[in-house]
Amino acid sequence: AALPPSEETYTGQLKLDVRLAGAVSAFESPDMAGVKAEGDLHLTDFKYSDPSVPVPVSIATMRVALTPSAANLSELQMALGDSDVAATGRIDNVVAWVLTDAPLTGNLSLQSRRLNLDPWTSDDGESAEPSGQTPESSIFVVPEGYNFTVSATIKQLIYDDETYENVKGTMIMADGQMRFEELQVSLLGGALALNGSYSASNAESADVDLTLTLGNPELAAALKESDTFRALAVLIEQAKGTFRADLRVKSRLGPDLSPDLSTLWSEGRFTTYGVTFEPKFMKEVAKALGRPELAKVSLTDKDVQFRVDKGRVKISPLKLSLGGTEATLAGSSGAEDGSLDYTLRLKLPTTQLSNTALASRLGGAAGDADVLVKIGGTAADPKVSLSLDGAGEALVDDLKSAATAQLDVAKE
């Protein structure tokens, strides 16, 4: 019976001059002493298409020099659909890898003006599914049997419908894990520097452990685009201004690459520059204290220390300016359910508390009171309660005692 016709097409010119000699066992040997392998490969004007490949492939030129231990890539100029790739490098153990499935090692230096990975990760059809991926998953399964280092400079990278500018850094694929070293990206209106690892043995989930610095993005853009920053959104909703973030993030990612918030752990700090915001819970605080101006929170040149652990965002004591009044906020909120458990401390003149729930406790005492505000409920429906902290209670008692003493003197 005749073989079915192939739907793949290819054209181009190949100049091949390769000589191989040696036993299979010699190719498996680490020192390759028993192998004779040498030659050159020069491919030009190559064009390839196949229904199983999501975009047309063309190679303007590729030059490879073969030795017993390595294939040296001196030049590669190619296009993948609307993407361009230029590369040089060395692939070690390539002959043994081809013949015996021995581990493949090597390093590449890659440059691209535009690299669009979406056609290769699309779930629109079977032809766009790379090995190790399913139509329901965007997880890249890291293959075993490789020890590969790629140093890349990419002007524009497109992945998972997101566009990243000025990507530069080193990626190491080894032992079923991807490691990133000094990866730099223009992102969210600022600059991202990243180090860390990504591992995935199946298409169901991946684990990341990343250390990153994000400089001066607009807060609004960061909150909109990043799941990690959205975990802080109950604190800084509707924020304006810029910040620098230094943090470490560990999490399990789901098939759509979103972090599982129950596994998300993060620790670090934000340094704020001219940040202002009016969260809903602060509006309730301002209402309870009868001071509308307290709803406006200002963070100028502040270090915000935080930790995300077991689904909660914990904030270390943070000094705020509330409409010009100094205050300190500490506590936590739920990353998934938006639940609030915060304590706000501030000092206010007792004369400004006469129409609050604290009026009866103050009993007309004059001076400043240390006010304690408990913030509970949820971000959508915050609950606020007022009390005097220990210092405030003592002050009120002292003022009352002084007032009583003066009254007694007046009576005498």
Side-chain angles (χ1 to χ4, degrees):
L3 294 174
S6 173
E7 296 185 67
E8 65 179 356
T9 63
Y10 47 87
T11 60
Q13 294 184 348
L14 173 64
K15 294 181 180 180
L16 183 64
D17 182 11
V18 175
R19 293 166 296 281
L20 293 174
V24 170
S25 59
F27 285 101
E28 294 177 314
S29 174
D31 58 14
M32 303 288 284
V35 172
K36 293 181 180 179
E38 59 181 358
D40 297 284
L41 179 153
H42 185 198
L43 183 64
T44 57
D45 299 325
F46 178 77
K47 299 183 185 299
Y48 176 82
S49 65
D50 186 282
S52 65
V53 179
V55 296
V57 177
S58 63
I59 298 176
T61 183
M62 181 174 69
R63 294 179 184 272
V64 178
L66 183 67
T67 71
S69 60
N72 294 296
L73 177 66
S74 60
E75 182 182 13
L76 173 64
Q77 299 287 340
M78 69 182 300
L80 303 169
D82 61 355
S83 302
D84 64 277
V85 175
T88 59
R90 171 188 172 104
I91 303 176
D92 298 308
N93 211 30
V94 64
V95 177
W97 177 72
V98 171
L99 297 179
T100 66
D101 292 329
L104 186 67
T105 63
N107 60 81
L108 286 176
S109 175
L110 182 149
Q111 296 82 39
S112 176
R113 293 184 297 273
R114 172 186 170 88
L115 184 57
N116 185 0
L117 299 180
D118 276 353
W120 304 88
T121 60
S122 168
D123 59 4
D124 294 336
E126 294 183 1
S127 63
E129 295 165 25
S131 61
Q133 224 173 36
T134 68
E136 299 80 17
S137 175
S138 295
I139 296 290
F140 171 70
V141 179
V142 184
E144 299 279 354
Y146 294 86
N147 188 339
F148 228 85
T149 299
V150 178
S151 298
T153 301
I154 303 170
K155 184 68 175 177
Q156 183 183 75
L157 174 66
I158 301 170
Y159 179 70
D160 200 28
D161 293 325
E162 299 288 348
T163 299
Y164 306 94
E165 306 286 347
N166 304 316
V167 179
K168 184 178 181 180
T170 299
M171 180 186 68
I172 302 170
M173 182 170 65
D175 304 321
Q177 184 182 75
M178 302 274 279
R179 298 197 307 274
F180 308 99
E181 295 183 354
E182 303 301 326
L183 180 64
Q184 301 175 27
V185 185
S186 295
L187 182 70
L188 302 175
L192 171 69
L194 180 148
N195 292 273
S197 65
Y198 166 101
S199 59
S201 58
N202 58 65
E204 298 301 318
S205 65
D207 293 299
V208 294
D209 184 350
L210 306 173
T211 300
L212 59 89
T213 297
L214 183 60
N216 292 345
E218 284 290 335
L219 263 177
L223 288 174
K224 180 180 178 182
E225 301 296 338
S226 168
D227 289 286
T228 301
F229 295 139
R230 273 200 293 270
L232 297 165
V234 295
L235 277 181
I236 47 180
E237 58 180 329
Q238 301 177 354
K240 297 178 181 179
T242 60
F243 69 94
R244 171 190 169 95
D246 297 276
L247 61 152
R248 183 179 178 188
V249 178
K250 296 172 66 175
S251 182
R252 176 152 293 178
L253 307 181
D256 63 352
L257 297 180
S258 295
D260 177 355
L261 293 179
S262 66
T263 68
L264 176 63
W265 178 93
S266 181
E267 187 174 61
R269 69 174 184 176
F270 291 91
T271 301
T272 62
Y273 307 103
V275 171
T276 60
F277 56 101
E278 296 186 30
K280 188 172 183 179
F281 70 82
M282 282 307 305
K283 293 178 182 178
E284 292 300 312
V285 171
K287 181 179 178 181
L289 291 171
R291 298 274 302 276
E293 70 275 13
L294 297 180
K296 185 176 182 179
V297 181
S298 175
L299 287 173
T300 301
D301 298 332
K302 298 286 187 180
D303 281 338
V304 183
Q305 305 284 339
F306 76 95
R307 172 181 286 194
V308 182
D309 190 17
K310 297 179 180 178
R312 296 203 68 80
V313 183
K314 302 175 183 179
I315 302 295
S316 298
L318 173 65
K319 291 185 178 180
L320 312 168
S321 176
L322 308 178
T325 299
E326 295 301 312
T328 300
L329 179 73
S332 68
S333 57
E336 291 187 272
D337 60 13
S339 60
L340 305 176
D341 184 12
Y342 285 101
T343 299
L344 181 72
R345 288 180 165 86
L346 68 164
K347 189 184 292 289
L348 292 173
T350 57
T351 55
Q352 296 181 5
L353 299 171
S354 58
N355 293 321
T356 70
L358 298 175
S360 60
R361 180 68 187 90
L362 293 169
D368 291 336
D370 292 307
V371 179
L372 185 68
V373 184
K374 289 288 188 179
I375 303 167
T378 65
D381 185 23
K383 306 297 182 184
V384 170
S385 63
L386 306 179
S387 64
L388 299 175
D389 68 10
E393 292 281 3
L395 174 63
V396 170
D397 290 338
D398 289 344
L399 291 174
K400 285 185 174 182
S401 297
T404 301
Q406 290 179 356
L407 181 60
D408 291 341
V409 171
K411 288 181 177 179
E412 295 175 359

